[in-house]
Coordinates of all heavy atoms in Angstrom, one line a residue:
D108 N 61.1 109.2 144.4 CA 61.2 110.6 144.7 C 62.1 110.8 145.9 O 62.0 110.1 146.9 CB 59.8 111.2 144.9 CG 59.1 111.5 143.6 OD1 59.8 111.8 142.6 OD2 57.9 111.4 143.6
Y109 N 62.9 111.8 145.9 CA 63.7 112.2 147.0 C 63.8 113.7 147.1 O 63.6 114.4 146.1 CB 65.0 111.5 147.1 CG 65.8 111.5 145.8 CD1 66.6 112.6 145.5 CD2 65.7 110.5 144.9 CE1 67.3 112.6 144.3 CE2 66.5 110.5 143.7 CZ 67.3 111.6 143.4 OH 68.0 111.6 142.3
S110 N 64.2 114.2 148.2 CA 64.2 115.7 148.4 C 65.4 116.3 147.7 O 66.3 115.7 147.3 CB 64.3 116.0 149.9 OG 65.6 115.6 150.4
E111 N 65.3 117.6 147.6 CA 66.4 118.4 147.0 C 67.7 118.2 147.8 O 68.7 118.1 147.2 CB 65.9 119.9 147.0 CG 66.9 120.8 146.3 CD 66.9 120.5 144.8 OE1 65.9 120.1 144.2 OE2 68.0 120.7 144.1
S112 N 67.5 118.2 149.2 CA 68.7 118.0 150.0 C 69.4 116.6 149.7 O 70.6 116.5 149.7 CB 68.4 118.2 151.5 OG 67.5 117.2 151.9
R113 N 68.6 115.6 149.5 CA 69.1 114.3 149.2 C 69.8 114.3 147.8 O 70.9 113.7 147.7 CB 67.9 113.3 149.2 CG 68.3 111.8 148.8 CD 69.1 111.2 149.8 NE 68.4 111.1 151.0 CZ 68.8 110.3 152.0 NH1 69.8 109.5 151.9 NH2 68.1 110.3 153.2
A114 N 69.2 115.0 146.9 CA 69.8 115.1 145.5 C 71.2 115.8 145.6 O 72.1 115.4 145.0 CB 68.9 115.8 144.6
E115 N 71.2 116.8 146.5 CA 72.5 117.5 146.7 C 73.6 116.6 147.3 O 74.7 116.7 146.9 CB 72.3 118.8 147.5 CG 73.4 119.7 147.6 CD 73.1 121.0 148.4 OE1 72.0 121.5 148.2 OE2 74.0 121.4 149.2
M116 N 73.2 115.8 148.3 CA 74.1 114.9 148.9 C 74.6 113.9 147.9 O 75.8 113.6 147.8 CB 73.4 114.1 150.1 CG 73.2 115.0 151.3 SD 72.2 114.1 152.6 CE 72.9 112.5 152.7
I117 N 73.7 113.4 147.0 CA 74.1 112.4 146.0 C 75.1 113.1 145.0 O 76.1 112.5 144.7 CB 72.9 111.9 145.3 CG1 72.1 111.0 146.2 CG2 73.3 111.1 144.0 CD1 70.7 110.6 145.7
D118 N 74.8 114.3 144.6 CA 75.7 115.0 143.7 C 77.1 115.3 144.3 O 78.1 115.1 143.6 CB 75.1 116.4 143.3 CG 73.9 116.3 142.4 OD1 73.7 115.2 141.8 OD2 73.1 117.2 142.2
K119 N 77.1 115.6 145.5 CA 78.4 115.8 146.2 C 79.2 114.5 146.3 O 80.4 114.5 146.1 CB 78.2 116.4 147.6 CG 77.8 117.9 147.6 CD 77.7 118.4 149.0 CE 77.3 119.9 149.0 NZ 77.1 120.4 150.3
E120 N 78.5 113.4 146.6 CA 79.2 112.1 146.7 C 79.7 111.7 145.3 O 80.9 111.2 145.1 CB 78.3 111.1 147.2 CG 78.9 109.7 147.4 CD 80.1 109.7 148.4 OE1 80.3 110.7 149.2 OE2 80.7 108.6 148.5
V121 N 78.9 111.9 144.3 CA 79.4 111.6 142.9 C 80.6 112.4 142.5 O 81.6 111.9 142.0 CB 78.2 111.8 141.9 CG1 78.7 111.7 140.4 CG2 77.1 110.7 142.1
D122 N 80.5 113.7 142.8 CA 81.7 114.6 142.6 C 82.9 114.1 143.3 O 84.0 114.1 142.7 CB 81.4 116.1 143.0 CG 80.4 116.7 142.0 OD1 80.2 116.2 140.9 OD2 79.9 117.8 142.4
R123 N 82.8 113.7 144.5 CA 83.9 113.3 145.3 C 84.5 112.0 144.7 O 85.7 111.9 144.6 CB 83.5 113.0 146.8 CG 84.6 112.6 147.7 CD 84.1 112.1 149.1 NE 83.4 110.9 149.0 CZ 83.9 109.7 148.9 NH1 85.3 109.6 148.8 NH2 83.2 108.6 148.9
L124 N 83.6 111.1 144.3 CA 84.1 109.8 143.7 C 84.8 110.1 142.4 O 85.9 109.5 142.1 CB 83.0 108.8 143.5 CG 82.4 108.3 144.8 CD1 81.1 107.5 144.5 CD2 83.3 107.4 145.5
M125 N 84.3 111.0 141.6 CA 84.9 111.3 140.3 C 86.2 112.0 140.5 O 87.2 111.6 139.8 CB 84.0 112.2 139.5 CG 82.7 111.6 139.1 SD 82.9 110.2 137.9 CE 83.5 111.1 136.5
S126 N 86.3 112.8 141.5 CA 87.6 113.5 141.8 C 88.6 112.5 142.3 O 89.8 112.6 141.8 CB 87.4 114.6 142.8 OG 88.6 115.3 143.1
E127 N 88.3 111.6 143.1 CA 89.2 110.6 143.6 C 89.6 109.7 142.5 O 90.8 109.3 142.4 CB 88.5 109.7 144.7 CG 88.4 110.4 146.0 CD 87.8 109.5 147.1 OE1 87.6 108.3 146.8 OE2 87.5 110.0 148.2
G128 N 88.7 109.3 141.6 CA 89.1 108.5 140.4 C 90.1 109.2 139.5 O 91.0 108.6 139.0
L129 N 89.8 110.5 139.3 CA 90.7 111.3 138.4 C 92.1 111.3 139.1 O 93.1 111.1 138.4 CB 90.2 112.7 138.2 CG 91.1 113.6 137.4 CD1 91.4 113.0 136.0 CD2 90.4 115.0 137.3
D130 N 92.1 111.7 140.4 CA 93.4 111.7 141.1 C 94.2 110.4 141.0 O 95.4 110.4 140.8 CB 93.2 112.1 142.5 CG 92.7 113.6 142.7 OD1 92.8 114.3 141.7 OD2 92.3 113.9 143.8
S131 N 93.5 109.3 141.2 CA 94.1 108.0 141.1 C 94.6 107.7 139.7 O 95.8 107.2 139.6 CB 93.1 106.9 141.5 OG 93.6 105.7 141.4
A132 N 93.8 108.0 138.7 CA 94.3 107.8 137.3 C 95.5 108.6 137.0 O 96.5 108.1 136.4 CB 93.1 108.1 136.4
L133 N 95.5 109.9 137.4 CA 96.7 110.7 137.1 C 97.9 110.2 137.8 O 99.0 110.3 137.3 CB 96.4 112.2 137.5 CG 95.3 112.9 136.6 CD1 94.9 114.2 137.2 CD2 95.8 113.0 135.2
K134 N 97.8 109.7 139.0 CA 98.9 109.2 139.8 C 99.5 108.0 139.1 O 100.7 107.8 138.9 CB 98.5 108.9 141.2 CG 99.7 108.3 142.0 CD 99.3 108.0 143.4 CE 100.4 107.5 144.3 NZ 101.6 106.9 143.7
I135 N 98.6 107.1 138.6 CA 99.0 105.9 137.9 C 99.8 106.3 136.6 O 100.9 105.7 136.3 CB 97.8 105.0 137.6 CG1 97.3 104.3 138.8 CG2 98.2 103.9 136.5 CD1 96.0 103.7 138.7
I136 N 99.3 107.2 135.9 CA 99.9 107.7 134.7 C 101.3 108.3 135.0 O 102.3 108.0 134.3 CB 99.1 108.7 133.9 CG1 97.9 108.0 133.3 CG2 99.8 109.4 132.8 CD1 96.8 108.9 132.8
R137 N 101.4 109.2 136.0 CA 102.7 109.8 136.4 C 103.7 108.7 136.8 O 104.8 108.7 136.5 CB 102.5 110.8 137.5 CG 102.0 112.1 137.1 CD 102.0 113.2 138.2 NE 101.3 112.8 139.4 CZ 100.0 113.1 139.6 NH1 99.3 113.7 138.7 NH2 99.4 112.7 140.7
D138 N 103.2 107.8 137.7 CA 104.1 106.7 138.2 C 104.6 105.8 137.1 O 105.7 105.2 137.3 CB 103.4 105.9 139.3 CG 103.1 106.7 140.6 OD1 103.6 107.8 140.7 OD2 102.4 106.2 141.4
H139 N 103.9 105.6 136.1 CA 104.2 104.6 135.0 C 104.4 105.3 133.7 O 104.3 104.6 132.6 CB 103.2 103.5 135.0 CG 103.0 102.8 136.3 ND1 103.9 101.9 136.7 CD2 102.1 102.9 137.2 CE1 103.5 101.4 137.9 NE2 102.4 102.0 138.2
R140 N 104.7 106.6 133.7 CA 104.8 107.3 132.4 C 105.9 106.8 131.5 O 105.7 106.7 130.3 CB 105.1 108.8 132.7 CG 105.2 109.7 131.5 CD 103.9 109.6 130.7 NE 104.0 110.2 129.4 CZ 103.4 111.3 129.1 NH1 102.6 111.9 129.9 NH2 103.5 111.8 127.9
D141 N 107.1 106.4 132.1 CA 108.1 105.8 131.2 C 107.7 104.6 130.5 O 108.0 104.4 129.3 CB 109.4 105.6 132.0 CG 109.2 104.7 133.2 OD1 108.1 104.6 133.7 OD2 110.2 104.0 133.6
A142 N 107.0 103.7 131.2 CA 106.5 102.4 130.6 C 105.5 102.8 129.5 O 105.5 102.2 128.4 CB 106.0 101.5 131.6
M143 N 104.6 103.7 129.8 CA 103.6 104.1 128.8 C 104.2 104.7 127.6 O 103.8 104.3 126.4 CB 102.6 105.1 129.4 CG 101.5 105.5 128.5 SD 100.3 106.6 129.3 CE 101.3 108.1 129.5
D144 N 105.3 105.5 127.7 CA 106.0 106.1 126.6 C 106.6 105.0 125.7 O 106.7 105.1 124.5 CB 107.0 107.1 127.0 CG 106.4 108.4 127.6 OD1 105.2 108.6 127.3 OD2 107.1 109.1 128.3
R145 N 107.2 104.0 126.4 CA 107.8 102.8 125.6 C 106.8 102.1 124.8 O 107.0 101.7 123.7 CB 108.6 101.9 126.6 CG 109.8 102.5 127.2 CD 110.7 101.5 127.9 NE 110.0 100.7 128.9 CZ 109.9 101.0 130.2 NH1 110.4 102.1 130.6 NH2 109.2 100.2 131.0
V146 N 105.6 101.9 125.4 CA 104.5 101.2 124.7 C 104.0 102.0 123.5 O 103.8 101.5 122.4 CB 103.3 100.8 125.7 CG1 102.1 100.4 124.9 CG2 103.8 99.8 126.7
V147 N 103.9 103.3 123.7 CA 103.4 104.2 122.7 C 104.5 104.2 121.5 O 104.1 104.1 120.4 CB 103.2 105.7 123.2 CG1 103.1 106.7 122.1 CG2 102.0 105.7 124.1
S148 N 105.7 104.2 121.8 CA 106.8 104.2 120.8 C 106.7 102.9 120.0 O 106.8 103.0 118.8 CB 108.1 104.4 121.5 OG 109.1 104.3 120.5
H149 N 106.5 101.8 120.7 CA 106.4 100.5 120.0 C 105.2 100.5 119.1 O 105.2 100.1 117.9 CB 106.3 99.4 121.0 CG 106.1 98.1 120.4 ND1 107.2 97.3 120.0 CD2 105.0 97.4 120.0 CE1 106.7 96.1 119.5 NE2 105.4 96.2 119.5
L150 N 104.0 101.0 119.6 CA 102.8 101.0 118.8 C 102.9 102.0 117.6 O 102.4 101.7 116.5 CB 101.6 101.4 119.7 CG 101.2 100.4 120.7 CD1 100.2 100.9 121.6 CD2 100.6 99.1 120.0
L151 N 103.6 103.1 117.7 CA 103.8 104.0 116.6 C 104.6 103.4 115.5 O 104.4 103.6 114.3 CB 104.4 105.3 117.1 CG 103.5 106.2 117.9 CD1 104.3 107.4 118.4 CD2 102.3 106.7 117.0
E152 N 105.5 102.5 115.9 CA 106.4 101.9 115.0 C 105.7 100.6 114.3 O 105.8 100.5 113.1 CB 107.7 101.4 115.7 CG 108.7 100.7 114.8 CD 110.0 100.3 115.5 OE1 110.4 101.0 116.4 OE2 110.5 99.3 115.1
K153 N 105.1 99.8 115.1 CA 104.6 98.5 114.6 C 103.0 98.5 114.6 O 102.5 97.5 114.0 CB 105.1 97.4 115.4 CG 106.6 97.3 115.4 CD 107.1 96.0 115.9 CE 108.6 95.9 115.8 NZ 109.1 94.7 116.2
E154 N 102.3 99.4 115.2 CA 100.9 99.5 115.2 C 100.2 98.4 116.0 O 99.0 98.6 116.4 CB 100.3 99.5 113.8 CG 100.7 100.7 113.0 CD 100.0 100.7 111.6 OE1 99.1 99.9 111.3 OE2 100.4 101.6 110.8
T155 N 100.8 97.3 116.4 CA 100.2 96.3 117.2 C 101.2 95.9 118.2 O 102.4 96.1 118.1 CB 99.7 95.1 116.4 OG1 100.9 94.5 115.8 CG2 98.7 95.4 115.4
I156 N 100.7 95.2 119.3 CA 101.6 94.7 120.3 C 101.1 93.4 120.8 O 99.9 93.3 121.1 CB 101.8 95.7 121.4 CG1 102.9 95.3 122.3 CG2 100.5 96.0 122.2 CD1 103.4 96.4 123.3
E157 N 101.9 92.4 120.9 CA 101.5 91.1 121.4 C 101.7 91.1 122.9 O 102.5 91.9 123.5 CB 102.3 90.0 120.8 CG 102.2 89.8 119.3 CD 100.8 89.4 118.9 OE1 100.1 88.7 119.6 OE2 100.3 89.9 117.8
R158 N 101.1 90.2 123.6 CA 101.2 90.1 125.1 C 102.6 90.0 125.6 O 103.0 90.7 126.5 CB 100.3 89.0 125.6 CG 100.3 88.8 127.1 CD 99.5 87.6 127.4 NE 99.4 87.5 128.9 CZ 98.5 86.8 129.5 NH1 97.6 86.1 128.8 NH2 98.4 86.7 130.8
D159 N 103.4 89.1 125.0 CA 104.7 88.9 125.4 C 105.6 90.2 125.2 O 106.4 90.5 126.0 CB 105.4 87.7 124.8 CG 105.5 87.7 123.3 OD1 104.6 88.4 122.7 OD2 106.4 87.1 122.7
E160 N 105.3 90.9 124.0 CA 106.1 92.1 123.8 C 105.7 93.2 124.8 O 106.6 93.9 125.3 CB 105.7 92.7 122.4 CG 106.2 91.8 121.2 CD 105.6 92.3 119.9 OE1 104.4 92.5 119.8 OE2 106.4 92.5 119.0
F161 N 104.4 93.3 125.1 CA 104.0 94.2 126.1 C 104.6 94.0 127.5 O 105.2 94.9 128.1 CB 102.4 94.2 126.3 CG 101.9 95.1 127.3 CD1 101.7 96.4 127.0 CD2 101.7 94.6 128.6 CE1 101.2 97.3 128.0 CE2 101.2 95.5 129.6 CZ 101.0 96.8 129.3
E162 N 104.6 92.7 127.9 CA 105.3 92.3 129.2 C 106.7 92.7 129.2 O 107.3 93.2 130.2 CB 105.0 90.9 129.5 CG 103.6 90.5 129.8 CD 103.3 89.1 129.8 OE1 104.1 88.2 129.3 OE2 102.2 88.7 130.3
T163 N 107.4 92.5 128.1 CA 108.9 92.8 128.0 C 109.1 94.3 128.0 O 109.9 94.8 128.7 CB 109.5 92.2 126.7 OG1 109.3 90.8 126.7 CG2 110.9 92.6 126.6
I164 N 108.3 95.0 127.2 CA 108.5 96.5 127.1 C 108.2 97.1 128.5 O 108.9 98.0 128.9 CB 107.5 97.1 126.0 CG1 108.0 96.6 124.7 CG2 107.5 98.6 126.1 CD1 107.0 96.9 123.6
V165 N 107.1 96.7 129.1 CA 106.7 97.3 130.4 C 107.6 96.8 131.5 O 107.8 97.5 132.5 CB 105.2 97.0 130.7 CG1 104.8 97.5 132.1 CG2 104.3 97.7 129.6
G166 N 108.2 95.7 131.4 CA 109.1 95.1 132.4 C 108.4 94.4 133.5 O 108.8 94.4 134.6
I167 N 107.3 93.7 133.1 CA 106.6 92.9 134.1 C 106.9 91.4 133.8 O 107.1 91.1 132.7 CB 105.1 93.2 134.2 CG1 104.5 92.9 132.8 CG2 104.8 94.6 134.6 CD1 103.0 93.0 132.8
P168 N 106.9 90.6 134.8 CA 107.1 89.2 134.6 C 106.0 88.6 133.8 O 104.8 89.1 133.8 CB 107.2 88.6 136.0 CG 106.5 89.5 136.8 CD 106.6 90.9 136.2
P169 N 106.2 87.5 133.1 CA 105.1 86.8 132.3 C 104.0 86.5 133.3 O 104.2 86.3 134.5 CB 105.8 85.6 131.8 CG 107.2 85.9 131.7 CD 107.5 86.8 132.9
A170 N 102.8 86.5 132.7 CA 101.6 86.2 133.5 C 101.7 84.8 134.1 O 102.4 83.9 133.6 CB 100.4 86.3 132.6
N171 N 100.9 84.6 135.1 CA 100.8 83.3 135.8 C 100.3 82.3 134.7 O 99.3 82.5 134.1 CB 99.8 83.4 136.9 CG 99.6 82.1 137.7 OD1 99.8 81.0 137.1 ND2 99.2 82.2 138.9
P172 N 101.0 81.2 134.5 CA 100.6 80.2 133.4 C 99.2 79.8 133.6 O 98.5 79.4 132.6 CB 101.6 79.1 133.6 CG 102.7 79.6 134.3 CD 102.2 80.8 135.2
R173 N 98.7 79.7 134.8 CA 97.3 79.3 135.0 C 96.3 80.3 134.4 O 95.2 80.0 134.1 CB 97.0 79.1 136.5 CG 97.7 78.0 137.1 CD 97.4 77.8 138.6 NE 97.9 79.0 139.3 CZ 97.8 79.2 140.5 NH1 97.1 78.5 141.3 NH2 98.3 80.3 141.1
N174 N 96.7 81.5 134.2 CA 95.9 82.6 133.6 C 96.2 82.8 132.1 O 95.6 83.7 131.6 CB 96.0 83.9 134.4 CG 95.6 83.8 135.8 OD1 94.7 83.0 136.1 ND2 96.2 84.5 136.7
A175 N 97.0 82.0 131.6 CA 97.5 82.2 130.2 C 96.3 82.0 129.2 O 95.4 81.2 129.5 CB 98.6 81.3 129.8
I176 N 96.3 82.8 128.2 CA 95.3 82.6 127.1 C 95.7 81.4 126.3 O 96.9 81.3 125.8 CB 95.3 83.9 126.2 CG1 95.0 85.1 127.1 CG2 94.4 83.7 125.1 CD1 95.2 86.4 126.4
P177 N 94.8 80.5 126.2 CA 95.1 79.3 125.4 C 95.5 79.6 124.0 O 94.8 80.4 123.3 CB 93.9 78.4 125.4 CG 92.9 79.1 126.4 CD 93.4 80.5 126.6
Q178 N 96.5 79.0 123.5 CA 97.0 79.2 122.1 C 96.2 78.2 121.2 O 96.0 77.1 121.5 CB 98.4 78.9 121.9 CG 99.3 79.8 122.8 CD 99.2 81.3 122.3 OE1 99.2 81.6 121.1 NE2 99.1 82.2 123.3
A179 N 95.7 78.7 120.1 CA 95.0 77.9 119.1 C 96.0 76.9 118.5 O 97.1 77.2 118.2 CB 94.4 78.8 118.0
S180 N 95.5 75.7 118.3 CA 96.3 74.7 117.6 C 95.6 74.3 116.3 O 94.5 74.7 116.1 CB 96.6 73.5 118.5 OG 95.3 73.0 118.9
T181 N 96.2 73.4 115.6 CA 95.5 72.9 114.4 C 94.3 72.2 114.8 O 94.2 71.6 115.9 CB 96.5 72.0 113.6 OG1 96.9 70.9 114.4 CG2 97.6 72.8 113.1
G182 N 93.3 72.2 114.0 CA 92.0 71.6 114.3 C 90.9 72.6 114.3 O 91.0 73.5 113.5
S183 N 89.9 72.4 115.1 CA 88.8 73.3 115.1 C 89.1 74.7 115.6 O 90.2 74.9 116.1 CB 87.6 72.7 115.9 OG 88.0 72.8 117.3
A184 N 88.1 75.6 115.4 CA 88.3 77.0 115.9 C 88.6 77.1 117.4 O 89.1 78.0 117.9 CB 87.1 77.8 115.5
L185 N 88.1 76.0 118.1 CA 88.3 76.0 119.6 C 89.7 75.5 119.9 O 90.0 75.4 121.1 CB 87.2 75.2 120.3 CG 85.8 75.8 120.1 CD1 84.8 74.9 120.8 CD2 85.7 77.2 120.7
G186 N 90.5 75.0 119.0 CA 91.8 74.5 119.3 C 91.8 73.1 119.6 O 92.8 72.6 120.1
H187 N 90.7 72.3 119.4 CA 90.7 70.9 119.7 C 91.1 70.1 118.5 O 90.8 70.4 117.4 CB 89.3 70.5 120.1 CG 88.8 71.1 121.3 ND1 89.2 70.8 122.6 CD2 87.8 72.1 121.5 CE1 88.6 71.5 123.5 NE2 87.8 72.4 122.8
Q188 N 91.9 69.1 118.8 CA 92.4 68.2 117.7 C 91.2 67.3 117.3 O 90.5 66.9 118.2 CB 93.6 67.4 118.1 CG 94.8 68.2 118.5 CD 95.5 68.6 117.2 OE1 95.5 67.9 116.2 NE2 96.1 69.8 117.2
S189 N 91.1 67.0 116.1 CA 90.1 66.0 115.6 C 90.6 64.6 115.7 O 91.7 64.3 115.5 CB 89.6 66.3 114.2 OG 89.1 67.6 114.1

């Protein structure tokens, strides 16, 4: 249990955080609108997008190889050779 004044403080803080989040999201969208439009155009045409296509369309360098998603190879579902 907490007081009405405590509840009001919590509500104000939640409102502030939500407002900041919205402002941040809108800025990201405005700042990267051209890249977003290119991705949308690609998706409308082909319906899917692969990681390398996304990186090319958006204009970002390929991901760090240490963070790369392992490619499946022949063998088991985990990509291990028998």
Side-chain angles (χ1 to χ4, degrees):
D108 280 326
Y109 47 85
S110 69
E111 188 68 29
S112 64
R113 176 69 61 165
E115 188 175 319
M116 286 174 47
I117 292 170
D118 288 345
K119 285 181 181 179
E120 182 65 8
V121 168
D122 287 345
R123 184 186 68 77
L124 291 170
M125 294 295 292
S126 180
E127 284 180 9
L129 176 61
D130 291 345
S131 178
L133 291 172
K134 180 179 182 339
I135 290 168
I136 290 170
R137 279 191 302 272
D138 291 350
H139 301 284
R140 182 61 191 245
D141 58 330
M143 185 177 66
D144 289 341
R145 290 192 307 270
V146 170
V147 167
S148 178
H149 178 90
L150 289 171
L151 287 171
E152 182 180 324
K153 298 193 177 186
E154 295 184 8
T155 61
I156 191 168
E157 299 295 326
R158 180 180 183 164
D159 61 331
E160 292 173 310
F161 178 84
E162 291 170 345
T163 299
I164 291 168
V165 173
I167 59 175
N171 183 332
R173 292 181 293 175
N174 297 331
I176 299 169
Q178 298 296 315
S180 60
T181 58
S183 73
L185 295 177
H187 296 287
Q188 296 282 327
S189 303

